[in-house]
Amino acid sequence: MIRAAIALIFAAQTAAAGGLMDRTVTFGALAYDDVEAPIYVGERHPAVVTDAIEYGLGPEGSQNGWDIVPAIIDIRDQQIIVTYPNTVDGTFPEAEFNGYVLDFLTDCVLFNGAGQDLENSTVELDSDAIFVDGSKLYVDMAGINYEPQTFIVVNVDVADCPLS
């Protein structure tokens, strides 16, 4: 009985180790037609992932006529949930990439992969809209309609950093 309890505790700790909970992340907006010459580079907002909502993005100041679409970002252990406040609706302007970037305050590559949770999302992103590049997760919202009832749910597979 005690061995079973220890095994369950160990399994729970192992599962939690591979998630986002308690990790320090940064989140922000980015838009570009040419990755080398971005149209908009939003502020990087650091946070420690907890059970609370991590970000309430709002306007940060116009760059090339672009600014932030207000959004609520809730990062969970294995998911990122994007919703919009009651005060906004519209369509994300088209660009090669216009969306969100999540990364870690470390050089360690942590994402094994990511994909949209279609059952819990209210709009479907293009198949190539969610991608990982090193330790950064990109969610492209170009051309997507948003309103207060919009939910974008992204499932993530995160690996632990190897110890040096």
Side-chain angles (χ1 to χ4, degrees):
M1 184 76 157
I2 292 174
R3 278 189 197 159
I6 291 171
L8 288 174
I9 290 169
F10 179 73
Q13 288 173 340
T14 302
L20 294 171
M21 197 61 64
D22 298 322
R23 295 188 192 230
T24 301
V25 298
T26 63
F27 194 88
L30 175 66
Y32 61 80
D33 282 324
D34 174 1
V35 72
E36 300 298 323
I39 301 165
Y40 186 89
V41 179
E43 295 177 26
R44 303 303 300 159
H45 302 278
V48 175
V49 177
T50 66
D51 289 330
I53 292 173
E54 280 71 26
Y55 307 104
L57 295 181
E60 296 176 356
S62 181
Q63 295 176 31
N64 300 311
W66 292 57
D67 203 347
I68 298 286
V69 170
I72 301 160
I73 313 300
D74 183 6
I75 301 174
R76 299 185 180 176
D77 196 46
Q78 302 287 329
Q79 289 184 322
I80 299 160
I81 302 167
V82 181
T83 58
Y84 298 90
N86 291 333
T87 57
V88 301
D89 63 63
T91 302
F92 278 89
E94 290 284 350
E96 179 66 28
F97 180 88
N98 180 10
Y100 307 114
V101 180
L102 174 82
D103 61 345
F104 296 90
L105 294 177
T106 177
D107 292 331
C108 184
V109 176
L110 294 167
F111 287 106
N112 289 325
Q116 186 175 9
D117 180 340
L118 294 174
E119 287 185 26
N120 293 305
S121 296
T122 57
V123 296
E124 186 173 344
L125 302 178
D126 289 339
S127 61
D128 61 349
I130 299 169
F131 58 96
V132 173
D133 184 13
S135 63
K136 294 182 180 182
L137 170 71
Y138 294 82
V139 180
D140 189 2
M141 302 293 291
I144 298 296
N145 295 323
Y146 61 89
E147 60 184 3
Q149 295 81 26
T150 301
F151 285 84
I152 308 292
V153 181
V154 176
N155 292 328
V156 294
D157 179 10
V158 181
D160 285 328
C161 287
L163 297 175
S164 326

